[in-house]
Amino acid sequence: MSAAMNARALAEAERWLGTPYRHQGTARGAGCDCLGLIRGVWRALYTTEPEVVPAYCRDWAERDAQEQLWQAALRHLVAVDPCAALQPGQVVLFRMRQGAVAKHLGLLRGADRFIHAYSGHGVVDSALTAPWARRIVARFDFPDSTTP
C-alpha cells in the first residue's frame, strides 16, 4: 500500500466536493454517483480506468445478489486488513441494508470523516457516524501502480 497514493487520491476527491449527484455520472463539477467519484479519482491517478463499467440501474446489484462492486474492487484496489486502523485516502465499501449486497462507496478523510456522492446531496464530506461505520464491509488502498 502506498500512503502517498492514498494521499493523492484524497486530494483529488476533495476537488470533487460540491459536484452534484448524477446516477452513472463520472464528471467532476457536472455530476457523479458514488462509483463515478471513485472512477474519477482513479482516472486522475492512473489516466485510464482499468475496465469498462457497463450501464447500471439503481437496483442493479439486487437482481442477481452478487457482490459485483466488491469483486471489482478486489480486482483493482488493494484490500486492507479489517483490523487495521482507518487511514485517509482508503476506499470504503458499504452495505446499506443487512442482507443486501454492498453497493455504496466513499473515500476516507480520516478516522471520523469520509467523502462520497450521495443521492440528493451530491459529493459531500460526511461524519463517519456509528450508523455509517457499522455498514462498512471492506476497505481498500489505491495501488502503487496499475501494472503487474
Side-chain angles (χ1 to χ4, degrees):
M1 133 20 220
S2 168
M5 193 61 79
N6 281 0
R8 288 180 54 205
L10 176 56
E12 178 61 24
E14 288 171 339
R15 296 179 65 216
W16 287 65
L17 288 167
T19 296
Y21 183 86
R22 182 172 172 207
H23 178 66
Q24 294 189 46
T26 65
R28 182 171 52 88
C32 69
D33 58 12
C34 66
L35 177 57
L37 170 64
I38 302 304
R39 291 172 62 195
V41 169
W42 181 280
R43 285 192 309 268
L45 296 175
Y46 310 108
T47 309
T48 59
E49 294 184 46
E51 65 183 69
V52 174
V53 177
Y56 51 92
C57 59
R58 293 183 193 279
D59 68 346
W60 62 271
E62 283 90 17
R63 286 191 265 157
D64 60 9
Q66 294 187 14
E67 296 285 358
Q68 294 177 17
L69 195 55
W70 201 333
Q71 292 302 315
L74 288 169
R75 283 193 301 274
H76 306 295
L77 299 168
V78 179
V80 173
D81 180 335
C83 297
L86 301 174
Q87 297 294 322
Q90 288 178 337
V91 174
V92 284
L93 177 63
F94 298 91
R95 185 182 317 282
M96 299 308 290
R97 291 187 330 265
Q98 189 171 7
V101 296
K103 65 178 213 174
H104 186 64
L105 296 163
L107 201 136
L108 291 173
R109 273 192 126 169
D112 62 349
R113 301 206 69 80
F114 70 109
I115 296 171
H116 62 136
Y118 199 41
S119 180
H121 300 278
V123 179
V124 296
D125 174 310
S126 294
L128 188 59
T129 60
W132 278 110
R134 73 172 167 256
R135 288 179 170 89
I136 295 173
V137 294
R139 288 182 289 134
F140 304 91
D141 287 323
F142 284 90
D144 289 328
S145 166
T146 60
T147 56

